[in-house]
């Protein structure tokens, strides 16, 4: 995504021994102030500051912004501040229908992370202040967010070797404005900050003035509410970790958890487990469904994006979803009278024909077998002394979950001979001297 990341101003001191601090600077008012304040402190602390600027390639004035930041950094170098500038120009563009803001944010974050590490720093400062925090809280609340969303922005967060820090998160916006005025700093006025197509701008332009007029302490109060949400989120995480240690293992999550914990606590654990299994947040609608449908269900499954949540024998497990485009496979006749592996791509698996000394089927009977999908109503007899039972019952008795009941049902002379996972029907087992075969079905890996 980068076209360059070169220092644009010189700095003094040995590169290898110095301690480096990165500051993300858009050139706007807040990050200009933070960069200046950081560089001034760095001088007395013996630190070196690397200003990072990301050129999104979206605004026609973006080249001018980079030039502005570059000129400012050069002037500060001349004034003796220990600072240099590195920048990266994002390439590519958001895909049709994607949010421009989300694309720019993701590209900027990745670039800031890369540049920080390349500069030899592990601390990256961002200039968000208390008003930004209050706005974020409000926007999340208007989206109906839960405590994680209402937590807004963390003060410090490690991500892949870089600690992203917002040192001014408690600072009122007016304090930042006062700093800029005091030091006569010049900054870029990004015209997209007044574009009413963006929700945050609408909030800034229309809602915020009215809110402050009505409640002058709104900024502080909302930022405080975000802090409470952060604490609540942390508590939820701790409880989920404890509950999942007790109720889940490598085979899945226990259904009994849903009956044992309070609804709120079960929801919390279920969400955390689904997030761990799928690496994304589960939809609230699914969680609501599970709380109603899952506690007493015996065998069930729920679609979840490109995977499926299965419940079988009291445990939940997440499995890859069978491809939706998979057409039902038509019945077909084949010759299996040859020991070895028979690949069956239409059925997404392989059938092994293996010689056995007892309980097999005569080889010659396999020369003209029919592979059929399940039609319903089939009956199967697992043992010589048993009785034929419905396939569904046989699968349940054998502990084979619905998702694993795949592969062809093999018929010979119109009678069911073999069921994947269950084996050969005892009624058709061989009794003469002819070579006997067992069959084994192995599904392809997903
Ligand atoms: N293009 C960019 N390059 C480097 N850092 C950026 C860039 N855009 C944003 N940041 C960082 O993220 C913070 C928050 O971004 P936001 O979009 O709210 O800021 P801004 O309005 O562009 O500028 P500022 O916060 O400087 O007034 C900035 O303060 C800055 O630290």
């Amino acid at each position: 995504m980068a076209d360059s990341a070169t220092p644009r101003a010189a700095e003094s001191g040995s590169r290898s021994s110095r301690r480096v601090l990165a500051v993300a600077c858009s050139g706007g008012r807040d990050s200009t102030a933070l960069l200046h304040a950081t560089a001034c402190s760095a001088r007395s602390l013996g630190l070196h500051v690397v200003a990072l600027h990301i050129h999104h390639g979206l605004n026609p004035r973006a080249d001018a912004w980079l030039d502005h930041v570059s000129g400012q950094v050069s002037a500060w170098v001349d004034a003796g501040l220990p600072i240099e500038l590195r920048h990266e120009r994002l390439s590519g563009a958001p895909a049709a229908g994607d949010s421009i803001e989300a694309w720019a944010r993701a590209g900027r974050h990745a670039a800031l992370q890369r540049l920080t590490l390349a500069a030899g720093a592990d601390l990256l400062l961002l200039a968000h202040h208390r008003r930004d925090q209050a706005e974020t809280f409000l926007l999340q609340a208007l989206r109906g967010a839960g405590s994680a969303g209402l937590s807004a922005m963390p003060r410090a967060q490690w991500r892949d070797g870089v600690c992203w820090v917002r040192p001014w998160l408690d600072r009122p916006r007016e304090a930042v404005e006062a700093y800029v005025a005091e030091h006569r700093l010049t900054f870029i006025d990004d015209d997209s900050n007044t574009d009413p197509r963006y929700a945050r701008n609408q909030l800034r332009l229309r809602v915020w003035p009215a809110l402050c007029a009505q409640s002058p302490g709104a900024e502080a109060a909302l930022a405080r509410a975000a802090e409470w949400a952060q604490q609540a989120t942390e508590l939820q995480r701790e409880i989920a970790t404890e509950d999942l240690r007790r109720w889940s293992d490598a085979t899945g999550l226990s259904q009994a958890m849903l009956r044992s914990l309070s609804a709120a606590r079960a929801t919390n654990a279920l969400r955390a487990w689904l997030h761990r299994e799928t690496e994304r947040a589960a939809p609230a609608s699914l969680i609501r469904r599970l709380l109603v449908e899952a506690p007493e269900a015996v065998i069930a499954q729920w679609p979840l994006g490109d995977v499926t949540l299965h419940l079988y024998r009291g445990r939940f497990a997440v499995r890859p979803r069978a491809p939706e485009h998979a057409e039902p496979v038509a019945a077909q006749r084949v010759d299996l009278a040859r020991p070895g592996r028979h690949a069956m791509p239409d059925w997404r698996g392989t059938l092994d024909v293996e010689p056995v000394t007892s309980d097999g089927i005569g080889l010659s009977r396999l020369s003209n077998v029919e592979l059929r999908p399940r039609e319903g109503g089939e009956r199967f007899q697992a043992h010589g002394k048993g009785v034929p039972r419905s396939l569904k019952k046989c699968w349940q008795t054998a502990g084979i979950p619905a998702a694993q009941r795949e592969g062809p049902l093999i018929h010979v002379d119109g009678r069911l001979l073999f069921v994947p996972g269950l084996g050969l029907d005892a009624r058709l087992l061989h009794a003469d001297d002819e070579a006997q075969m067992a069959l084994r079905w192995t599904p392809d890996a997903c």
Side-chain angles (χ1 to χ4, degrees):
M1 238 183 171
D3 81 336
S4 72
T6 48
R8 287 175 60 107
E11 80 283 353
S12 57
S14 136
R15 258 169 195 277
S16 55
S17 60
R18 69 190 184 179
R19 288 182 58 208
V20 182
L21 200 64
V23 179
C25 182
S26 64
R29 184 195 52 220
D30 307 328
S31 54
T32 298
L34 179 66
L35 184 59
H36 182 260
T38 308
C40 292
S41 303
R43 182 163 50 184
S44 48
L45 294 169
L47 300 175
H48 183 76
V49 175
V50 177
L52 305 179
H53 178 82
I54 310 305
H55 182 307
H56 294 105
L58 294 172
N59 193 305
R61 293 169 59 207
D63 285 340
W65 297 342
L66 174 60
D67 287 343
H68 170 86
V69 177
S70 177
Q72 191 148 52
V73 167
S74 296
W76 289 343
V77 170
D78 293 343
L81 292 181
I83 187 168
E84 71 179 273
L85 173 68
R86 296 182 179 209
H87 76 281
E88 185 168 314
R89 190 185 295 254
L90 302 188
S91 58
D98 280 2
S99 142
I100 298 175
E101 276 175 304
W103 176 86
R105 193 180 320 112
R108 181 170 72 245
H109 285 189
L112 287 172
Q113 175 86 14
R114 265 194 303 276
L115 290 180
T116 303
L117 290 171
D122 63 4
L123 202 59
L124 170 67
L125 307 188
L126 299 129
H128 297 101
H129 48 62
R130 196 173 72 180
R131 174 75 63 91
D132 296 321
Q133 184 75 331
E135 282 173 2
T136 306
F137 177 91
L138 211 49
L139 285 169
Q140 289 290 348
L142 291 170
R143 282 184 200 124
S147 59
L150 297 176
S151 296
M153 295 175 281
R155 189 180 315 278
Q157 186 180 34
W158 281 95
R159 283 189 210 159
D160 301 324
V162 173
C163 189
W164 293 56
V165 181
R166 298 178 174 87
W168 284 357
L169 207 54
D170 285 338
R171 199 171 270 224
R173 175 187 150 120
E174 287 71 24
V176 180
E177 286 170 348
Y179 185 94
V180 168
E182 183 189 341
H183 295 275
R184 296 167 191 248
L185 301 176
T186 57
F187 56 88
I188 291 157
D189 206 5
D190 179 353
D191 46 5
S192 73
N193 283 343
T194 53
D195 186 338
R197 281 175 304 173
Y198 300 119
R200 188 178 285 268
N201 292 345
Q202 285 191 22
L203 188 80
R204 273 181 194 163
L205 301 172
R206 303 208 185 111
V207 180
W208 202 255
L211 194 63
C212 290
Q214 152 80 24
S215 172
E219 182 183 302
L222 293 170
R224 228 176 18 253
E227 249 181 82
W228 287 119
Q230 283 174 12
Q231 281 192 25
T233 306
E234 195 45 48
L235 211 55
Q236 286 173 350
R237 272 199 206 110
E238 284 176 19
I239 292 170
T241 305
E242 206 171 282
D243 287 342
L244 293 187
R245 205 175 289 137
R246 167 151 187 225
W247 295 101
S248 72
D249 61 20
T251 66
L253 176 70
S254 164
Q255 180 188 23
M257 182 201 80
L258 293 185
R259 295 191 293 259
S260 306
L261 300 182
S262 69
R265 193 158 166 170
T267 301
N268 184 50
L270 200 52
R271 260 185 217 293
W273 180 77
L274 285 169
H275 193 272
R276 192 172 78 188
E277 294 295 306
T278 63
E279 294 179 356
R280 68 186 93 110
S285 54
L286 174 69
I287 301 285
R288 276 196 298 274
R289 253 187 90 182
L290 288 172
L291 287 181
V292 174
E293 297 171 12
E296 303 303 333
V298 179
I299 300 177
Q301 56 187 56
W302 296 266
L304 178 52
D306 51 359
V307 295
T308 306
L309 175 67
H310 292 270
L311 173 65
Y312 188 70
R313 294 202 157 177
R315 294 198 87 69
F316 294 101
V318 170
R319 299 241 166 71
R321 199 164 173 183
E324 270 178 19
H325 57 270
E327 297 280 327
V329 187
Q332 61 191 123
R333 289 203 166 270
V334 293
D335 178 1
L336 296 176
R338 176 179 55 79
R341 310 208 79 193
H342 298 258
M344 305 199 160
D346 287 354
W347 298 87
R348 300 198 302 276
T350 302
L351 195 70
D352 285 291
V353 179
E354 298 164 332
V356 286
T357 52
S358 63
D359 294 340
I361 174 93
L363 187 61
S364 62
R365 298 195 72 186
L366 293 175
S367 62
N368 183 16
V369 299
E370 195 180 8
L371 313 184
R372 289 191 204 158
R374 188 176 174 205
E375 286 156 358
E378 292 90 351
R379 296 181 78 75
F380 182 84
Q381 185 171 325
H383 307 288
K385 290 193 179 143
V387 289
R389 297 163 74 205
S390 78
L391 255 189
K392 193 172 162 190
K393 268 267 175 314
C394 295
W395 271 319
Q396 282 172 5
T397 308
I400 298 172
Q404 289 171 23
R405 298 171 191 173
E406 290 165 351
L409 301 184
I410 300 185
H411 291 70
V412 59
D413 300 332
R415 297 176 63 189
L416 181 60
L417 167 69
F418 171 81
V419 177
L422 295 179
L424 294 167
D425 189 301
R427 293 168 293 175
L428 298 181
L429 292 187
H430 182 77
D432 326 333
D433 291 340
E434 197 192 355
Q436 300 180 46
M437 299 291 140
L439 304 183
R440 186 158 46 89
W441 175 255
T442 312
D444 293 338
C446 286

